Amino acid sequence: MVVLLALHRITCLAPALVTCAYGAYRSTWANLGLLLAVAAWNLALFRVARQRGWFPAALVHLDVLLAGLVLMMVTANLTTDVTVPNWGNLVVQASGSLVGAALTRPWSVAAGVLALVLAQSAVIIGYSPGTGMPAPALVHAINGLVCFTLVAGFAVRYLRRIGRNLDRINAHRLAAEADAAADHARYVTRLAHHRALHDTVLTTLTLIARGVADPGRPEVRRRCARDAEVIRGLLGDGCDPAFGTVGEALREVVGEVSLLGLRVRYQGTTVPPDVPPQVVEALRAAAQEALNNVVKHAGVDQAWLTVTGEGRVLRVTIVDRGRGFDPAAVPSGFGFRHSLVDRMTEVGGRARVSSEPGAGTCVELTWAR
């Protein structure tokens, strides 16, 4: 709206600047000086509007006063009796549009318009030849003034109403996004809890129920004690343990699985030390789930875990020589999807399972820098 008001003022002053030396003025230089003063005032007015975001009411009232004075001075400088139109009338119309746009109180708008109407009437009546009121000229001038005031006032109030509606829509959208983010955060928390329970407590209980693990053995009891600590951490909303390096994390996994009777041959001489913590945790959890599956399904007591760093690719491989299975015939359950595939995908990695009945299983976890 500031731009539109500025363009309106330019259209009012541009013709006067172009033709200032060709009008019927008593003093062309006085007219030119007045034009330059009006231009300087407008530059100052719109600079303030740009800095503050809108027009201060005090400057709008001052603009009304200056517009009336400019109209009288331009008319007094004319050599003819033709007072309408002249560029002073255009300045008054521009001031009227500013009054309608910038002032918010109805009485303030009415006072500004009334002051401009009185200035127009005084000029037309005072400088018209003969006696009586020149009705057509007066109606023409007042009509233009009121028209610009109403158009500017309507435009500003319409834009403000549209802006309030957009603000309301944006507020609803932001609230909906906040609710969605909260739902997603709750989902992520539940998923993390499900993963932790699946990879620890559920695996231990499943092995005990199947008779694979004897709850009376000291190592199984130690495993149960660790699982109890996991549950306490989840109830207390504690954080997952942070592992310094991939090697430390995987050796921890090997130690936990060995409590269930699985001997894991670990080899990781080329493990890179500067892997991000979230990648370390994803590899740890995925490897733990793969070894848990060896204990539950492979029917063997030995597995191999190898870590290699080849260029920019980190690869963790878990191999067993157990029963194997047909991957196409087995639906992907929670463990395979969430503990293996999703965990690696979330950190930009991949999980691939290769197996055949009777030929063992190979789980390959890869992450590229």
Side-chain angles (χ1 to χ4, degrees):
M1 196 64 201
V2 172
V3 172
L4 291 177
L5 291 172
L7 291 175
H8 183 203
R9 299 226 163 184
I10 291 174
T11 59
C12 292
L13 295 179
L17 287 170
V18 173
T19 61
C20 63
Y22 303 100
Y25 302 110
R26 290 188 173 90
S27 173
T28 302
W29 290 107
N31 183 67
L32 179 59
L34 186 60
L35 271 171
L36 293 177
V38 172
W41 160 250
N42 280 279
L43 288 175
L45 175 65
F46 281 88
R47 183 177 181 181
V48 172
R50 181 183 177 183
Q51 291 174 346
R52 300 190 181 183
W54 195 233
F55 300 93
L59 292 186
V60 176
H61 295 309
L62 180 58
D63 185 74
V64 171
L65 176 62
L66 294 178
L69 293 176
V70 167
L71 174 61
M72 294 180 183
M73 295 173 67
V74 171
T75 307
N77 194 33
L78 290 172
T79 58
T80 65
D81 294 330
V82 179
T83 59
V84 179
N86 64 45
W87 69 271
N89 287 311
L90 300 179
V91 171
V92 169
Q93 291 177 0
S95 183
S97 64
L98 180 62
V99 167
L103 299 181
T104 56
R105 294 182 176 86
W107 65 265
S108 182
V109 176
V113 173
L114 180 60
L116 294 173
V117 167
L118 292 176
Q120 288 272 20
S121 302
V123 167
I124 293 174
I125 295 173
Y127 289 91
S128 293
T131 59
M133 180 179 294
L138 185 61
V139 171
H140 179 273
I142 294 176
N143 177 71
L145 169 62
V146 174
C147 178
F148 280 109
T149 303
L150 292 176
V151 169
F154 171 80
V156 166
R157 284 153 184 80
Y158 175 77
L159 292 175
R160 284 176 177 163
R161 185 168 65 251
I162 294 297
R164 286 192 295 269
N165 291 337
L166 290 176
D167 288 341
R168 207 160 33 242
I169 293 171
N170 284 334
H172 290 317
R173 178 180 59 81
L174 292 175
E177 290 179 356
D179 291 340
D183 291 340
H184 179 69
R186 286 191 290 268
Y187 167 77
V188 170
T189 302
R190 287 197 302 268
L191 183 59
H193 289 177
H194 292 167
R195 285 172 174 172
L197 292 173
H198 178 274
D199 297 346
T200 55
V201 180
L202 183 59
T203 297
T204 304
L205 293 177
T206 301
L207 294 174
I208 292 174
R210 291 180 179 178
V212 176
D214 182 3
R217 293 170 56 187
E219 59 269 21
V220 176
R221 289 201 299 271
R222 287 197 299 271
R223 167 95 180 200
C224 292
R226 291 188 181 184
D227 293 347
E229 290 299 323
V230 171
I231 295 177
R232 291 191 188 96
L234 295 178
L235 293 176
D237 217 11
C239 299
D240 292 337
F243 298 94
T245 65
V246 174
E248 293 173 1
L250 294 179
R251 281 192 290 270
E252 178 76 14
V253 170
V254 170
E256 291 180 2
V257 176
S258 66
L259 298 178
L260 301 176
L262 181 67
R263 290 186 298 111
V264 181
R265 301 195 177 205
Y266 172 79
Q267 184 176 0
T269 57
T270 60
V271 181
D274 55 345
V275 179
Q278 64 272 20
V279 178
V280 173
E281 173 59 19
L283 290 170
R284 183 204 67 82
Q288 183 179 37
E289 175 59 18
L291 292 172
N292 286 340
N293 286 336
V294 174
V295 177
K296 289 188 288 187
H297 306 299
V300 294
D301 60 357
Q302 187 174 352
W304 289 261
L305 190 153
T306 306
V307 186
T308 58
E310 303 171 358
R312 300 176 60 86
V313 178
L314 176 62
R315 180 175 285 102
V316 177
T317 306
I318 300 98
V319 177
D320 70 78
R321 296 175 181 171
R323 298 188 183 95
F325 64 97
D326 182 3
V330 178
S332 60
F334 183 91
F336 175 73
R337 177 185 173 189
H338 292 288
S339 292
L340 287 174
V341 177
D342 284 358
R343 268 182 167 144
M344 294 304 300
T345 302
E346 288 170 2
V347 296
R350 286 186 56 192
R352 186 175 64 178
V353 178
S354 303
S355 183
E356 291 182 7
T361 302
C362 174
V363 176
E364 187 179 67
L365 311 172
T366 57
W367 174 76
R369 295 174 183 271

